[in-house]
Amino acid sequence: MLAQQRQEAILDRVRTAGGVRVTELAGEFGVSDMTIRRDLEALAERGLLAKVHGGATTARPGSTDEPGFAVKSVRQRAEKAAIAAEAARLVTPGMAVALSAGTTTAELARRLAGVPALTVVTNSIPVAEILHRSGRPDQTVVLTGGIRTPSDALVGPVAVATIRSLHLDLVFLGVHGMSERAGFTTPNLLEAETNRALLAAADRLVVLADSTKWATVGISSFAGLAEAHTVVSDTGLPEPAREILRAHVPDLLFCEVTP
């Protein structure tokens, strides 16, 4: 296969899945990791994708770009699974917790389905559905009302009013992006308001963010880095980003990802 043909195939894979890993592509095309890295570099120089640790993702979106839940669910699946497994260790029976909308929080919901006497508040339709299908009978799931977004979040004044009446032990927030300047961000203005309400209702904020979220900035900030008590990410997060987070966040958890 010629380099141009291979690069076109790689680009098709990125567009379909949202992301690719170097090792997987090398095995599929029967070439070295270095060859794949050169292919990714060439595509990145043309602005067709974004290189990340160990692979590549779609080119950085605009600040209001909001992919649907189905699109995001196939991106960084191994990272999200590892992050969700680590986050689940923070939850104990009898807690009242909130899960924001997002594909990583949906992974977390699957791991909380067996926790006894758990109360889960969520503005995520997929999270509520997962716990409805798989959760224990002694669990309570509260789904806020609101306006549905492309990422299957319920947002707006109805959602905010529901959340403001509650008092929670933990809130787990997925994020569109995070950076030193902007903090934690979302591409949806109404979702930012709903996330702020979730944050205010809980004693502790746990942010779930895979390494590709670093230096991505949505249009609206809903929290500064220092407002998080814990950030759970993966070991692909570069050291400069870790240093910035260490300066602001008391508790950082980095998960090893199995290819």
Side-chain angles (χ1 to χ4, degrees):
M1 179 182 287
L2 298 175
Q4 183 178 353
Q5 293 173 314
R6 188 175 57 248
Q7 290 172 15
E8 289 175 355
I10 291 171
L11 190 57
D12 285 341
R13 178 69 58 80
V14 172
R15 287 169 174 164
T16 300
V20 293
R21 299 183 70 85
V22 169
T23 53
E24 293 174 356
L25 292 175
E28 178 178 344
F29 293 112
V31 297
S32 68
D33 287 4
M34 183 59 67
T35 296
I36 295 298
R37 290 192 181 95
R38 285 197 294 264
D39 288 335
L40 298 182
E41 184 68 36
L43 292 167
E45 288 177 356
R46 295 161 58 192
L48 298 176
L49 53 71
K51 288 186 65 181
V52 297
H53 180 78
T57 65
T58 52
R60 294 294 185 191
S63 62
T64 60
D65 181 72
E66 185 174 7
F69 185 90
V71 172
K72 292 191 292 184
S73 66
V74 300
R75 298 177 178 174
Q76 287 73 52
R77 286 178 291 186
E79 288 84 353
K80 291 172 182 177
I83 289 167
E86 184 66 32
R89 295 159 59 91
L90 303 175
V91 179
T92 58
M95 274 188 168
V97 303
L99 273 63
S100 75
T103 50
T104 310
T105 50
E107 284 292 328
L108 175 58
R110 294 184 178 93
R111 287 157 178 80
L112 298 184
V115 179
L118 190 66
T119 297
V120 178
V121 177
T122 185
N123 67 321
S124 166
I125 295 171
V127 165
E129 182 62 23
I130 289 166
L131 292 171
H132 174 72
R133 293 196 315 266
S134 306
R136 292 170 54 100
D138 60 354
Q139 290 182 340
T140 299
V141 180
V142 179
L143 177 63
T144 70
I147 301 166
R148 188 171 183 168
T149 73
S151 59
D152 286 346
L154 296 176
V155 300
V158 174
V160 170
T162 301
I163 295 163
R164 282 179 176 165
S165 66
L166 304 173
H167 305 280
L168 306 166
D169 297 307
L170 291 175
V171 58
F172 295 93
L173 290 184
V175 300
H176 173 77
M178 56 180 176
S179 74
E180 183 175 21
R181 176 183 63 83
F184 303 109
T185 63
T186 172
N188 187 298
L189 293 171
L190 289 177
E191 188 165 20
E193 183 183 14
T194 306
N195 283 348
R196 291 187 200 105
L198 286 168
L199 194 161
D203 292 335
R204 184 179 178 89
L205 169 61
V206 182
V207 172
L208 311 181
D210 68 74
S211 54
T212 66
K213 303 298 178 64
W214 185 256
T216 296
V217 177
I219 192 173
S220 182
S221 299
F222 60 82
L225 297 182
E227 293 181 72
H229 297 86
T230 302
V231 170
V232 188
S233 189
D234 59 83
T235 52
L237 193 71
E239 186 57 34
R242 297 189 193 198
E243 291 179 3
I244 292 169
L245 287 172
R246 288 190 190 106
H248 295 88
V249 182
D251 187 24
L252 300 177
L253 303 174
F254 296 108
C255 308
E256 291 286 348
V257 178
T258 303

